[in-house]
Amino acid sequence: LVNTAMAVAVAPGEVSWSTKASLQVVGRPLDRILCTVPKTLEITSVESTGLDSWQLGETPNDPSRTTITLAYRQAFDGSRDIQFRGVLKAASELAWDVPSLVFNDITSQVGIAEVRYPAGIRLRVGELDGVRTVVSQAATAENGDSLLHFQIWKAGFRLPFVTEPKTREVRAAVTN
């Protein structure tokens, strides 16, 4: 069982992504975990208690995804948290998807996603799959950024956006 909490921060031409995955291992202890992310996401760090190493590699049956192999010093069972960080290469005014983190050989994977964007950006949500908007939790952060919240119930969810700059008009009167 995996419960994920994703945080996505949008800026013009750039999207930063972080995910905390709470993994619950029951039965056979694990010392190696495989998961995948889209190739458009560049993973910058992975942190977890007892993690010996992590490696990125090709995904044999899906060339659009990258496999992350997590190797632990010692096999474990019970709960374990894993923190992933990365950067999505998204250009302004282009459609992009929130990157999905998919664990191999996991019975159930659910989670939440928070998308944060500044006042100068308009974010249009596309057609959702495996995710729903939490309307009651649309909010504004303390620094003025807008926040959108979503619930995820499908590992390979689709949460698409289009990022556009808000058009602004400036008027000035100049006198001598």
Side-chain angles (χ1 to χ4, degrees):
L1 174 68
V2 176
N3 193 341
T4 57
M6 295 185 180
V8 178
V10 181
E14 167 185 329
V15 177
S16 62
W17 173 91
S18 69
T19 297
K20 178 183 177 185
S22 297
L23 184 68
Q24 184 65 40
V25 178
V26 179
R28 182 178 52 91
L30 299 176
D31 65 349
R32 191 167 166 252
I33 297 171
L34 297 175
C35 51
T36 65
V37 294
K39 279 205 181 291
T40 55
L41 179 67
E42 182 181 326
I43 296 294
T44 57
S45 73
V46 179
E47 300 169 10
S48 180
T49 303
L51 184 63
D52 186 37
S53 66
W54 60 278
Q55 291 182 324
L56 302 177
E58 300 292 320
T59 303
N61 299 329
D62 190 350
S64 68
R65 297 190 66 85
T66 299
T67 297
I68 306 169
T69 303
L70 308 175
Y72 286 84
R73 288 186 281 278
Q74 202 171 329
F76 68 92
D77 61 359
S79 62
R80 185 69 50 111
D81 288 341
I82 309 167
Q83 181 72 45
F84 297 87
R85 286 186 183 79
V87 178
L88 181 68
K89 301 158 207 140
S92 184
E93 297 186 38
L94 289 180
W96 56 275
D97 288 11
V98 170
S100 60
L101 172 66
V102 178
F103 284 83
N104 295 10
D105 303 322
I106 295 295
T107 308
S108 173
Q109 185 174 339
V110 296
I112 58 171
E114 177 184 87
V115 179
R116 174 185 296 249
Y117 60 99
I121 290 181
R122 176 176 289 118
L123 218 54
R124 287 189 300 136
V125 181
E127 189 174 328
L128 306 176
D129 181 23
V131 63
R132 72 173 159 248
T133 305
V134 181
V135 177
S136 64
Q137 291 190 3
T140 304
E142 57 279 351
N143 67 352
D145 285 356
S146 296
L147 301 173
L148 298 174
H149 294 90
F150 301 89
Q151 290 178 329
I152 302 165
W153 70 84
K154 184 175 163 185
F157 69 90
R158 186 158 193 283
L159 179 51
F161 289 98
V162 174
T163 307
E164 302 169 329
K166 285 186 180 176
T167 55
R168 296 186 179 195
E169 190 174 302
V170 177
R171 294 182 184 181
V174 180
T175 59
N176 275 341

